[in-house]
Amino acid sequence: MISEKLKKGILLIAEPSIIGDLSFNRSVILLADHNEEGSVGFILNKPLEYTIQDLIPEINAKFKIYNGGPVEQDNLYFIHNIPEMIPNSIEISNGIYWGGDFESTKALINEGKIKKNNIRFFLGYTGWDAQQLDREMQANSWIISKNVYENKIIGKSTTDFWKQKILELGGDYVIWSNAPENPILN
């Protein structure tokens, strides 16, 4: 798990030492892009209290909206596993795609052709400037993990996803799996 390199499609697991950071504490991030100019990702395990219909009333679906990260939280983003249905999608990796034609997406959702395990919506994203993520890796802020779920990650990642990934790491990480989110409140 830890031998993976930074590249789009991998998962970034917040180290347990990231305490007090409201955006990234106990986050699991899908890295959607990584190059010499910077990196972009989406937090997979931080659902908000909204559905897509709350934000876009003409969409007749109750798909949950997730907090994608602290950047541009007034913009809606989405990942999916159905590029044959959504034109102009960008492949992240392993059959996961980012964005695409939103008008087509709305119509397909309303027709019942896109299900919640096909698509995940985010308000905002996580972004890093050139070399910023590399510096955070050197500071041991993140653990790199292969996305073994591939395009099924959309339906897999829930609020307890961080705990599950920490348990999979084993060793010294196991003790953190049951620690309170804010140890001061213990």
Side-chain angles (χ1 to χ4, degrees):
M1 262 190 212
I2 299 173
S3 63
E4 292 290 316
K5 294 191 179 343
L6 282 175
K7 63 183 178 187
K8 63 185 194 170
I10 56 98
L11 300 177
L12 296 175
I13 304 165
E15 275 281 354
S17 60
I18 299 182
I19 296 173
D21 185 318
L22 295 178
S23 294
F24 300 119
N25 186 26
R26 297 188 181 208
S27 290
V28 178
I29 297 174
L30 173 67
L31 198 59
D33 196 13
H34 177 72
N35 58 51
E36 64 280 348
E37 296 173 18
S39 304
V40 173
F42 298 102
I43 300 172
L44 295 171
N45 61 324
K46 304 260 178 156
L48 297 170
E49 296 298 318
Y50 311 108
T51 67
I52 190 67
Q53 191 172 38
D54 293 332
L55 301 180
I56 304 172
E58 64 266 24
I59 294 181
N60 188 21
K62 299 287 186 186
F63 300 164
K64 182 93 44 205
I65 303 291
Y66 286 75
N67 176 359
V71 183
E72 293 187 14
Q73 288 200 319
D74 55 345
N75 287 330
L76 188 66
Y77 299 91
F78 62 99
I79 61 172
H80 60 88
N81 57 16
I82 45 172
E84 67 283 357
M85 297 175 74
I86 302 176
N88 305 317
S89 302
I90 299 168
E91 185 170 20
I92 296 171
S93 74
N94 298 314
I96 304 169
Y97 292 77
W98 177 8
D101 183 274
F102 193 63
E103 292 305 314
S104 297
T105 303
K106 288 193 307 189
L108 290 166
I109 291 171
N110 285 337
E111 293 167 13
K113 293 181 179 173
I114 296 179
K115 307 293 183 200
K116 69 179 180 178
N117 61 342
N118 297 127
I119 198 163
R120 168 90 44 114
F121 290 97
F122 303 94
L123 279 178
Y125 67 90
T126 301
W128 294 269
D129 291 333
Q131 304 303 312
Q132 181 182 1
L133 184 53
D134 294 309
R135 287 190 300 274
E136 289 183 15
M137 293 302 301
Q138 291 170 358
N140 296 319
S141 296
W142 302 101
I143 302 160
I144 298 175
S145 176
K146 181 178 181 180
N147 174 13
V148 297
Y149 313 101
E150 297 182 346
N151 67 1
K152 292 175 180 54
I153 190 111
I154 292 170
K156 174 70 178 155
S157 48
T158 60
T159 53
D160 64 344
F161 197 40
W162 181 86
K163 179 177 180 175
Q164 176 188 337
K165 297 305 290 176
I166 289 295
L167 284 169
E168 287 174 13
L169 291 170
D172 293 339
Y173 288 104
V174 173
I175 195 167
W176 286 101
S177 67
N178 287 318
E181 192 162 341
N182 186 343
I184 294 170
L185 301 177
N186 192 10

